[in-house]
Amino acid sequence: MRERLLGLLEDSDDRFVSGELLSRQLGVSRTAVWKQIRKLEDEGYTIEASRKLGYRLRGRPDQLTLPGLLTKLRTETFGKRIKLLDAVDSTQNVAQQLAEEGAPEGTLVIAEQQLHGRGRMGRSWISPKGKGVWMSFILRPSIPLPFTPQLTLLAAVALCRSLRRLTGLDIGIKWPNDLLVGGKKISGILLESSAEEERLKYVIAGVGISLNLDASDYSPDMLAKAVSLKLAAGRPFDRSETIAEFLHEFEELYRLYGQEGFDPIRTLWEALSVSIGKPCVLTTPQGLVIEGSPVGLAETGALLVKREGGKVVPVFSADMGMTQERDQPADRVQ
C-alpha cells in the first residue's frame, strides 16, 4: 500500500488528493491512509495536509548514494570503503562487526536511519530517515591504550571546524565533545574501543549530526536543549558534502596527531571550547563532586579545573554540567 499511495501522490502533479479518493483507490479506510502518510513523513517525505483538500506531496527525502558520496570525497583513507545502509539498529554495531572481521582503518558505515541510535552514557539518539548524518568509521591507531580519549577530543575538533566552515554558524565545543549552537546541542560523538592484553585493537568512532531535522522531529523537551543545523541557519544542507568535509578535516588532523602528538589538537580544542573559564559542576563515576572553572586540557587530554582557592586539578572522567545548565543532562567522557 505504501508504494501505491506514494505513486498516487507523485502522479498528482503538486495538486491535493482527497483522503476519500485515496481511501477508495487503495481500498482502505481514511484512518489507514493517514497512518501511511505518517510513515512516509517518518521516512523523510514532506506531505502537506488539509482537512478540506486532502494531501499533497511537497518534498522527497534527501537520498544518499555511493556515487554522490565518492565524487565529493577528498580523502586518501577515510571513506574509501563505504557500507551504505537504509535502516540499522546502530551504525556502531555494524562497524564493530566489520572491524572484528579485519576491515581496514577508514572503513565507513552510513545509515539513512538508525532505529536504536545511541549516544554517550547509553542515551538514545534521534536519527530520522534522510534528515541527518548517522555514521561510524574504523580507526586502528598506533597509540598506547590510555591515550584513546584524546581521539574523542580530536573528533570534536574536526567536526566543529568542518561544520563552522559549511554553515557559517558560531559552533563551539562543550567538554568533552558536545557541539553547541546558541547553547543547544547539534551533534553527538561516541568512541568505543576494543583492547586485548592492554593493546588497543581498534576504535569505532560514531558521529551523529542533526543536519536537516525540523522542529516537528523533536519533542518539546528536546527542542529546549537540541537543534538542527537547518533550524539554526534557516536553510538545509547537503548531507554528502557534510560527510566529505568532516572526513577531510578528520583525516588532516588525524595525520597531524600521528606526526606531532596531542599538543596541536589540544590547542585547537581549547580555541573552540565554550567550557573554558565557565563555572561548572563535575561529578566523577565515584560520586565525587568537583566545582570550579576549566582552564584548559592537560597533555593526557584530561580537563584542568581550577577550584576555589586556586588549586588546579585534572579530571579524566566525569559528568559535566555548566552551573546555568544543572537541569540538563550532563556529558561524560569515558
Side-chain angles (χ1 to χ4, degrees), residues 1 35 57 81 146 149 160 172 198 220 243 254 269 293 309 322 328:
M1 183 170 64
K35 289 181 178 179
L57 182 64
R81 179 179 177 184
C160 189
E198 298 302 313
I243 294 169
Y254 190 61
W269 188 96
S293 297
M322 310 302 286
Q328 296 184 12

Side-chain angles (χ1 to χ4, degrees), residues 107-123:
T107 298
L108 177 65
V109 177
I110 307 173
E112 287 285 357
Q113 179 182 19
Q114 289 187 117
L115 302 177
H116 301 288
R118 64 179 187 271
R120 304 189 68 82
M121 296 182 66
R123 297 190 184 107

Side-chain angles (χ1 to χ4, degrees), residues 69-121:
L69 280 168
L70 293 174
T71 56
K72 295 190 176 184
L73 285 178
R74 310 193 312 276
T75 49
E76 295 178 4
T77 302
F78 290 90
K80 292 305 180 182
R81 179 179 177 184
I82 301 176
K83 193 174 186 65
L84 182 58
L85 303 168
D86 183 46
V88 297
D89 56 348
S90 168
T91 57
Q92 287 289 96
N93 296 343
V94 178
Q96 182 179 24
Q97 181 180 347
L98 292 174
E100 289 289 346
E101 295 171 355
E105 181 169 76
T107 298
L108 177 65
V109 177
I110 307 173
E112 287 285 357
Q113 179 182 19
Q114 289 187 117
L115 302 177
H116 301 288
R118 64 179 187 271
R120 304 189 68 82
M121 296 182 66

